[in-house]
């Protein structure tokens, strides 16, 4: 009886997965995110190579992502399927109804696209899933760390062009600390920084060269406390002593991190941060986008449809295999990229993601700034007096825009999908 029950559960689970993959493939095809749709279609066809709807969706996605090999395989599979079923078009094998009509419209659109088309830019927007009250409560705790009474609060006024933001609850004097937050994820760029908190290695009771991982000696930390915390939170499943595949991939990323090409180096840094988030979710046995602090963040990512499937899709497969996350798809990895690239804070020794500070909106003429030498010891301090109800702003590009022109500042903001409405940008100065 137990074996029958196990088989029934396996079949039910398989049907649920098929339905999920199909739903996501349809969703992203309809929304114009063809690279993500192609990733789901490939997974559908790996499970059922003769699925007519999957083959037709694959043709649409392959055409818009310029995946010529995938397109040829889908069309060849359609021809074989039509010959076996004695029909003229694979569309006839799709049950009549709304699905067939949608497929017909999509195929007409795809087949009308010239063979030689330019690269298609796509965009993915990630919205927060954490209830507003929970995020507001977390910000209140951070405000209480700065003083006995909270001076600021997360609000979501309907009339604001920024949406949610952090606002002063009362008049606040210049130079007043109003929030204290610590990063929930850091990614170092240099070997002389702690892999867990970015503090200089050798500090906090550590040896001159830092405290190495007790198992692989690859990662170094500023203290035993950081080493043990990193092991518990994520390094336990990414350590070379336990995961050679992940370590080999990480070596390749570190090689790109040292590249003279700034864009490639930043991309490698983002890849490592995304991988660390996936490792965190593996240890916690939860979905990466369901991690507590990630749930409160928003993000946007622009990507080239022609290359995203090959690069981000391959990264998703690598991380899923290395971290034993069977259902880690391109959608999740790209969503994590969007969150990281929109919310990361660039520091001399690496990048950091903060829960509370990431909720602050950007201005090229900020009224607040993050003060502190280390990622773990940064406080939000006012730069001038704030009136009651005034929104707090920081400059996310402070280290890059000291004397930048309007065009340069706008380009930096567009990389994060920010729209700055400060007087300086409104005047285009």
């Amino acid at each position: 009886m137990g074996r029958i029950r196990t088989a029934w559960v396996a079949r039910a689970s398989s049907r649920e997965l098929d339905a999920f993959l199909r739903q996501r493939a349809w969703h992203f095809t309809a929304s114009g995110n063809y690279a993500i749709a192609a990733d789901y279609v490939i997974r559908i066809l790996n499970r059922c190579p003769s699925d007519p709807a999957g083959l037709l969706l694959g043709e649409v996605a392959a055409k818009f992502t310029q995946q010529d090999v995938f397109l040829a395989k889908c069309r060849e599979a359609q021809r074989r399927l039509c010959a076996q079923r004695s029909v003229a078009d694979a569309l006839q094998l799709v049950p009549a109804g709304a699905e067939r009509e949608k497929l017909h419209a999509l195929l007409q659109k795809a087949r009308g696209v010239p063979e030689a088309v330019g690269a298609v830019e796509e965009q993915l927007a990630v919205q927060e899933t954490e209830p507003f009250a929970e995020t507001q409560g977390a910000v209140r705790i951070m405000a209480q760390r700065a003083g006995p009474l909270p001076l600021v609060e997360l609000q979501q006024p309907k009339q604001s062009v920024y949406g949610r933001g952090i606002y002063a609850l009362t008049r606040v004097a210049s130079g007043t600390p109003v929030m204290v937050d610590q990063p929930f994820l850091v990614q170092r760029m240099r070997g002389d920084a702690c892999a867990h908190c970015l503090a200089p290695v050798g500090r906090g009771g550590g040896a001159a060269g830092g405290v190495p991982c007790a198992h692989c000696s690859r990662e170094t930390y500023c203290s035993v406390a950081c080493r043990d915390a990193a092991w518990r939170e994520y390094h336990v499943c990414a350590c070379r002593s336990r995961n050679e595949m992940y370590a080999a991939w990480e070596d390749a990323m570190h090689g790109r991190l040292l590249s003279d090409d700034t864009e490639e180096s930043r991309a490698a840094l983002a890849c490592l941060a995304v991988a660390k988030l996936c490792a965190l979710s593996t240890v916690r046995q939860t979905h990466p986008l369901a991690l507590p602090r990630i749930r409160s963040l928003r993000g946007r990512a622009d990507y080239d449809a022609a290359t995203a499937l090959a690069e981000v899709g391959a990264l998703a497969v690598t991380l899923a295999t290395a971290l034993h996350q069977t259902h880690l798809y391109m959608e999740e990895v790209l969503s994590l990229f969007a969150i990281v690239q929109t919310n990361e804070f660039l520091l001399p020794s690496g990048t950091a993601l903060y829960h509370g500070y990431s909720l602050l909106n950007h201005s090229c003429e900020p009224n607040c700034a993050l003060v502190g030498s280390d990622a773990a010891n940064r406080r939000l301090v006012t730069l001038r007096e704030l009136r009651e109800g005034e929104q707090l702003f920081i400059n996310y590009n402070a280290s890059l825009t000291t004397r930048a022109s309007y065009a340069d500042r706008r380009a930096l903001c567009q990389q994060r999908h920010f729209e700055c409405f400060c007087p300086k940008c409104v005047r285009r100065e």
Side-chain angles (χ1 to χ4, degrees):
M1 188 67 181
R3 294 173 64 184
I4 296 174
R5 170 71 179 171
T6 301
W8 180 85
V9 170
R11 284 197 298 272
S13 178
S14 179
R15 286 195 297 269
E16 288 177 2
L17 178 57
D18 289 339
F20 168 77
L21 294 174
R22 189 179 297 275
Q23 186 272 331
R24 300 312 285 168
W26 270 106
H27 170 76
F28 285 107
T29 302
S31 64
N33 294 96
Y34 297 107
I36 302 177
D39 179 64
Y40 281 115
V41 170
I42 290 170
R43 295 172 189 273
I44 291 171
L45 295 177
N46 283 339
R47 294 172 61 81
C48 184
S50 59
D51 181 357
L55 290 170
L56 292 169
L57 281 174
E59 179 182 344
V60 173
K63 189 65 179 289
F64 284 106
T65 55
Q66 299 179 334
Q67 301 294 323
D68 295 336
V69 175
F70 183 34
L71 178 62
K73 287 183 177 180
C74 286
R75 287 177 172 171
E76 177 59 29
Q78 288 177 44
R79 282 193 288 269
R80 289 199 304 268
L81 190 60
C82 289
Q84 291 172 3
R85 305 285 183 88
S86 301
V87 295
D89 191 340
L91 192 61
Q92 296 175 253
L93 300 174
V94 179
E99 184 173 318
R100 182 191 284 189
E101 292 176 6
K102 290 179 183 177
L103 271 173
H104 179 66
L106 287 169
L107 286 166
Q108 282 189 320
K109 180 181 177 182
R111 289 169 180 172
V113 175
E115 292 297 330
V117 294
V120 179
E121 286 288 332
E122 297 179 358
Q123 186 179 94
L124 177 68
V126 182
Q127 298 297 326
E128 73 276 10
T129 57
E130 184 176 72
F132 181 78
E134 287 186 28
T135 312
Q136 191 177 48
V139 171
R140 190 175 296 116
I141 292 172
M142 297 173 205
Q144 289 172 339
R145 292 175 188 160
L149 294 175
L151 300 176
V152 297
E153 183 180 60
L154 180 68
Q155 298 178 9
Q156 197 165 12
K158 294 181 180 179
Q159 71 275 15
S160 173
V161 295
Y162 291 97
R164 65 179 182 177
I166 296 178
Y167 290 79
L169 292 174
T170 184
R171 179 178 292 181
V172 183
S174 177
T176 304
V178 291
M179 276 180 67
V180 177
D181 190 13
Q182 291 190 333
F184 65 89
L185 182 103
V186 301
Q187 181 57 53
R188 66 177 179 178
M189 290 188 291
R190 305 197 314 248
D192 60 351
C194 175
H196 187 65
C197 72
L198 296 186
V201 295
R203 200 177 70 178
V211 179
C213 169
H215 303 273
C216 67
S217 300
R218 174 185 176 82
E219 298 288 2
T220 52
Y221 305 92
C222 65
S223 64
V224 173
C226 271
R227 182 196 66 186
D228 294 345
W231 180 261
R232 288 193 308 271
E233 293 176 18
Y234 52 86
H235 192 56
V236 63
C237 67
C239 181
R240 181 180 293 276
S241 65
R242 296 191 173 198
N243 197 333
E244 281 288 347
M245 182 178 181
Y246 184 92
W249 172 84
E250 197 174 38
D251 286 342
M253 284 298 108
H254 280 293
R256 292 179 59 185
L257 189 61
L258 300 175
S259 169
D260 294 332
D261 186 337
T262 304
E263 187 173 337
E264 183 177 0
S265 180
R266 288 292 299 275
L269 196 63
C271 284
L272 289 166
V274 167
K276 190 175 283 189
L277 286 169
C278 292
L280 271 167
S281 68
T282 299
V283 173
R284 297 192 182 193
Q285 297 185 343
T286 187
H287 191 279
L289 295 176
L291 288 167
R293 295 174 180 87
I294 287 292
R295 292 171 59 228
S296 66
L297 301 183
R298 301 170 180 172
R300 285 182 180 272
D302 288 325
Y303 56 94
D304 174 41
T307 57
L309 184 61
E311 295 181 359
V312 183
L315 176 59
V317 172
T318 300
L319 292 178
T321 306
L323 297 173
H324 307 290
Q325 289 204 32
T326 310
H327 303 312
L328 182 64
Y329 304 127
M330 179 179 169
E331 178 189 356
E332 283 81 10
V333 173
L334 203 53
S335 297
L336 290 174
F337 267 114
I339 290 172
V340 168
Q341 293 179 336
T342 301
N343 297 282
E344 67 182 353
F345 287 81
L346 186 61
L347 304 173
S349 54
T351 58
L353 279 178
Y354 294 88
H355 184 202
Y357 296 157
S358 294
L359 301 171
L360 291 157
N361 286 313
H362 167 82
S363 173
C364 297
E365 291 187 334
N367 52 21
C368 295
L370 296 179
V371 177
S373 56
D374 296 339
N377 299 312
R378 307 189 90 196
R379 299 173 300 158
L380 182 66
V381 177
T382 57
L383 296 176
R384 60 171 174 79
E385 183 179 291
L386 302 181
R387 64 182 183 276
E388 182 180 349
E390 184 176 357
Q391 185 175 179
L392 280 64
F393 293 98
I394 61 171
N395 186 350
Y396 277 78
N397 303 313
S399 60
L400 305 173
T401 58
T402 307
R403 296 182 179 178
S405 65
Y406 166 74
D408 292 337
R409 295 198 315 273
R410 181 172 173 78
L412 287 168
C413 287
Q414 286 177 337
Q415 290 177 9
R416 293 177 178 264
H417 299 279
F418 290 161
E419 189 68 34
C420 185
F421 296 100
C422 73
K424 198 173 182 180
C425 286
V426 170
R427 295 191 300 266
R428 300 194 173 191
E429 295 178 354

